[in-house]
Amino acid sequence: MEVVQLMTFKVYFRYALFIPFICGLIAMILEFCFGLAGGNFIVFIVMLSVLIGGFPYALFVACTFYWMRGRTDREVKKAMWLAPLIFLPFLSIAILLAIPPDSFYSAGEAVLFLCFFGLIFGYCYVLIAYAGWKIVQFSGWHLEEG
């Protein structure tokens, strides 16, 4: 008899935080094996987003793991929907640290440009994570925290 391990939303969200890395890895594999980044804009953008935002996002994930200790599923669900907004300072600081100090004007433009795309990508990943949670619920693999 097969035993299915049930999970709370908090446990699921810990896994879901790695969705951007998984998507970026898949894009890099597609580029390496088939050269798709040159011909497919989405593969190129996903790959580039992980290369640019990977380090600040890893720091964000570490901080999120620390924050989630002792939190309820309800608190983590709220944080999931705010995660792209919460990530913006991590991305902004990384961009400002990467740009030479004598180019403040271009640094501001870069921060605005990349934060705009960071929000778009962030909410796409949140929607993917939410869809995954709905699949977990539909399959009966969830455990309601109470």
Side-chain angles (χ1 to χ4, degrees):
M1 183 171 160
E2 185 178 331
V3 177
V4 176
Q5 182 70 26
L6 302 178
M7 70 173 68
T8 63
F9 182 80
K10 187 163 67 171
V11 170
Y12 170 79
F13 188 62
R14 284 187 184 124
Y15 292 116
L17 283 168
F18 291 96
I19 291 171
F21 289 126
I22 293 166
C23 290
L25 179 63
I26 291 169
M28 288 179 200
I29 290 170
L30 290 172
E31 165 56 22
F32 181 74
C33 293
F34 306 108
L36 288 181
N40 189 318
F41 183 70
I42 293 174
V43 172
F44 176 73
I45 292 295
V46 170
M47 187 176 71
L48 193 60
S49 73
V50 172
L51 292 174
I52 292 172
F55 180 75
Y57 185 71
L59 185 59
F60 168 76
V61 168
C63 291
T64 303
F65 272 39
Y66 181 78
W67 173 84
M68 281 196 307
R69 297 177 315 145
R71 303 290 177 175
T72 66
D73 275 4
R74 181 175 298 224
E75 291 172 311
V76 175
K77 282 179 187 175
K78 287 180 187 177
M80 177 188 77
W81 292 106
L82 294 174
L85 292 171
I86 297 168
F87 172 65
L88 290 183
F90 289 85
L91 182 60
S92 299
I93 291 169
I95 295 165
L96 291 174
L97 290 174
I99 293 178
D102 60 341
S103 57
F104 179 76
Y105 180 72
S106 63
E109 288 177 341
V111 167
L112 289 175
F113 179 75
L114 292 174
C115 284
F116 173 74
F117 281 104
L119 279 176
I120 291 171
F121 273 86
Y123 279 107
C124 286
Y125 291 132
V126 166
L127 291 174
I128 292 168
Y130 183 72
W133 177 245
K134 288 301 179 185
I135 291 169
V136 167
Q137 285 180 316
F138 181 75
S139 301
W141 298 334
H142 71 292
L143 178 65
E144 293 297 327
E145 186 181 71

